[in-house]
Amino acid sequence: MVPFVGPSYNLRVTAADCQRTVNMCLKKIESGTGKANYILESVPGMVERFDLSGAPKVRGFATVAGGRTFIVYGSALAEVASDMSQLTGLATLATDTGPVSIAIGRDHIVVADGSSTPVYYDLSASSGFYIIDANMYPASWVVYLGGRFVFGRDGTDQFFWSAQDDPTRYDALDFATAEAMPDGVIRGLVYREELWLMGTATIEVYRVSQSADSAFEKNTGVSISIGCIAKWAAQIIDNSLFWLGQDDNGGAIVYRCQGYTPQRVSTYAVEEKLQASVSIASARAFCYQMDGQAFYCVSSPGVDTTWCFEVQGNWHEMAELVNGSYTASRAVCHVYTGLRHLVGTDDGFVYELDKDVYTNAGDVLCRERISPHSAIPPDTAIFFPRARLICSVGTVTDDSSPMVELSYSNDGGRTWHDTLPRSLGEVGETNKAIRWNRLGHIEPGQSRAWKVRCTDNVQFDIIDLKVDEVLGS
């Protein structure tokens, strides 16, 4: 039997590969002496912290040194109490929808929202204001580098910057232009202590200048001819820059830069899904690290799940189960407060991610694994007399009776046999055996794929599915 535990790699041609891992992620057993080399572990569930559904969206987060956490929702900039008890309003933005970019300076927070009047908040004086200056232009992104707040002038290749550690003062001559190609700089990020200007066809890198003529100068030793499709899908985690890229020949590929060389990390399966998006430029990504595993998670309109890359090299999917079908994760942005992982949603909620929670704020957290099917169909019939699931059992602490379901397909995952439920054990049944018998057979030329699913509010982690196979005549 092919290994049951694995990543998501469900191709358009399911007869080639239909395997899928939803709301579970691969974790390597580093000791080398465990029951398996890898297990599938549940993704964290969600606990509701704030209902802001009167506001259009949660638009972004930021955390400053010392653990203070800030949120933009609707038109409000607010501070999040460390005990999650309240939000304290600090300033009002000119806009109330769309993602925002937040830069943290030495004494200030600056929020760019696409308007020509971004907001700054003085951390020392505890006061927030609009930035009103004749040399301020509409800007949807801002970063802090070399003691200056740097903005991208929307719709152009220009970027401009503030006076030293003063977000209120701008000089008409304090700007520069990305010149490699007139492709429009749609996002700027600080990576490796340099300013990465991401256009739709190229990426240019600037660094703090030692010259009195300009605050920044181009790093002429760097040339990247892969652009950025979706400005809000560019993120930094694990000392790497990730983005959804394109070149002259095509796009919707996830790239990773460690240093200055882009490396493709998406698979054909991921790329098939992303390239089918109805608005790939609207894709968004967030990152988080929990229990030593770091993830880059990207969603795009029209794609039915959120695709998550664990930086060691494996993909899984996060999704909501709504009326029997998957939709992308409700989370669109993330912040780590130093104590908690918070995510925001487009319908105005803030949730905390928690590995010890097995619902999405009371909604079903469906954990599902579909195995690869037989790569080479057999020349003879194969019978499947028994199967045994090795997973978390007996973990409930109440009188519930959680269940797990097994199903199988003989046609590459296009149709599935009726589900076969089994108990995951009641309180104290930590040695519960989960078995199925008489699981049918495949004829010569067919292949078998297995599906395991759990929708109950219970810990559910998979070590393996052991299936007996008997050759027929």
Side-chain angles (χ1 to χ4, degrees):
M1 177 183 173
V2 296
F4 181 73
V5 169
S8 270
Y9 196 90
N10 51 317
L11 291 169
R12 184 185 301 113
V13 182
T14 59
D17 204 338
C18 63
Q19 65 177 307
R20 198 169 192 184
T21 299
V22 181
N23 292 326
M24 308 190 83
C25 61
L26 277 171
K27 175 172 277 190
K28 184 177 182 179
I29 306 303
E30 296 174 320
S31 67
T33 57
K35 285 187 175 181
N37 293 326
Y38 290 87
I39 64 170
L40 287 175
E41 188 174 73
S42 291
V43 300
M46 298 184 187
V47 179
E48 183 182 312
R49 291 303 180 195
F50 297 101
D51 178 354
L52 309 171
S53 53
K57 296 183 178 185
V58 177
R59 304 173 66 187
F61 293 103
T63 297
V64 303
R68 296 177 68 182
T69 300
F70 299 87
I71 181 175
V72 175
Y73 64 96
S75 60
L77 169 65
E79 183 167 0
V80 183
S82 60
D83 62 359
M84 301 291 112
S85 61
Q86 63 180 0
L87 300 177
T88 302
L90 306 176
T92 301
L93 279 68
T95 63
D96 63 5
T97 188
V100 296
S101 176
I102 305 175
I104 307 298
R106 189 169 285 108
D107 298 306
H108 302 88
I109 298 172
V110 173
V111 181
D113 61 349
S115 74
S116 58
T117 53
V119 164
Y120 78 95
Y121 180 75
D122 189 316
L123 293 166
S124 300
S126 299
S127 56
F129 304 94
Y130 291 119
I131 299 175
I132 306 295
D133 192 284
N135 299 306
M136 173 58 67
Y137 302 98
S140 58
W141 63 263
V142 60
V143 298
Y144 181 77
L145 180 63
R148 301 174 189 275
F149 291 94
V150 185
F151 297 81
R153 184 174 179 178
D154 284 353
T156 75
D157 294 305
Q158 292 183 0
F159 61 102
F160 60 97
W161 52 88
S162 70
Q164 190 79 23
D165 278 315
D166 186 349
T168 68
R169 293 193 298 119
Y170 298 83
D171 189 291
L173 299 180
D174 285 345
F175 75 95
T177 302
E179 298 174 339
M181 184 176 289
D183 54 343
V185 174
I186 63 173
R187 184 75 185 275
L189 288 171
V190 174
Y191 172 56
R192 296 169 55 94
E193 298 184 3
E194 295 176 306
L195 174 61
W196 287 54
L197 300 173
M198 311 186 79
T200 56
T202 60
I203 296 174
E204 293 187 38
V205 178
Y206 280 71
R207 57 195 173 195
V208 176
S209 174
Q210 303 304 314
S211 167
D213 296 334
S214 178
F216 301 96
E217 63 184 13
K218 185 175 180 179
N219 184 340
T220 57
V222 180
S223 177
I224 301 175
S225 297
I226 295 174
C228 178
I229 298 177
K231 61 184 175 182
W232 301 118
Q235 300 289 341
I236 296 171
I237 192 169
D238 193 46
N239 198 33
S240 300
L241 171 62
F242 291 84
W243 76 98
L244 194 53
Q246 65 182 357
D247 60 18
D248 291 341
N249 302 306
I253 294 174
V254 180
Y255 289 95
R256 172 184 190 168
C257 252
Q258 286 181 308
Y260 298 110
T261 303
Q263 300 173 330
R264 169 182 173 263
V265 297
S266 51
T267 63
Y268 294 138
V270 174
E271 290 151 10
E272 283 182 359
K273 303 302 183 297
L274 292 176
Q275 290 178 15
S277 170
V278 297
S279 180
I280 192 66
S282 301
R284 297 182 66 178
F286 67 92
C287 299
Y288 73 100
Q289 183 268 111
M290 189 176 287
D291 293 347
Q293 290 187 287
F295 302 96
Y296 168 85
C297 305
V298 59
S299 303
S300 193
V303 180
D304 63 355
T305 61
T306 298
W307 282 83
C308 302
F309 179 71
E310 199 275 321
V311 297
Q312 297 303 313
N314 297 300
W315 287 89
H316 66 274
E317 299 167 75
M318 292 175 65
E320 314 277 344
L321 187 64
V322 179
N323 297 324
S325 299
Y326 285 130
T327 63
S329 171
R330 65 188 72 180
V332 295
C333 53
H334 166 271
V335 69
Y336 179 57
T337 70
L339 296 172
R340 309 171 190 270
H341 290 272
L342 302 181
V343 294
T345 72
D346 275 342
D347 57 354
F349 286 85
V350 176
Y351 299 98
E352 180 178 351
L353 300 181
D354 191 328
K355 274 291 189 74
D356 295 320
V357 171
Y358 310 109
T359 70
N360 283 337
D363 296 329
V364 167
L365 179 63
C366 177
R367 280 69 52 87
E368 179 178 282
R369 170 61 183 164
I370 297 175
S371 73
H373 53 76
S374 304
I376 302 176
D379 294 328
T380 185
I382 297 179
F383 292 81
F384 304 96
R386 288 170 297 278
R388 179 168 63 97
L389 182 65
I390 306 170
C391 66
S392 307
V393 293
T395 60
V396 294
T397 57
D398 54 23
D399 60 357
S400 62
S401 299
M403 307 293 286
V404 61
E405 298 174 340
L406 177 72
S407 186
Y408 56 83
S409 172
N410 290 345
D411 59 5
R414 288 184 287 273
T415 61
W416 294 89
H417 187 277
D418 292 343
T419 57
L420 304 168
R422 293 291 185 273
S423 171
L424 280 170
E426 299 181 0
V427 174
E429 289 189 295
T430 55
N431 289 317
K432 174 76 175 180
I434 304 176
R435 297 190 178 94
W436 292 267
N437 297 317
R438 307 172 91 175
L439 295 170
H441 72 285
I442 56 175
E443 296 291 344
Q446 292 183 323
S447 62
R448 171 66 63 93
W450 303 92
K451 180 195 294 184
V452 171
R453 172 183 277 199
C454 177
T455 58
D456 287 341
N457 180 9
V458 64
Q459 179 183 348
F460 183 66
D461 309 300
I462 297 175
I463 298 173
D464 203 358
L465 177 70
K466 302 286 190 180
V467 180
D468 292 344
E469 299 180 356
V470 177
L471 294 178
S473 56

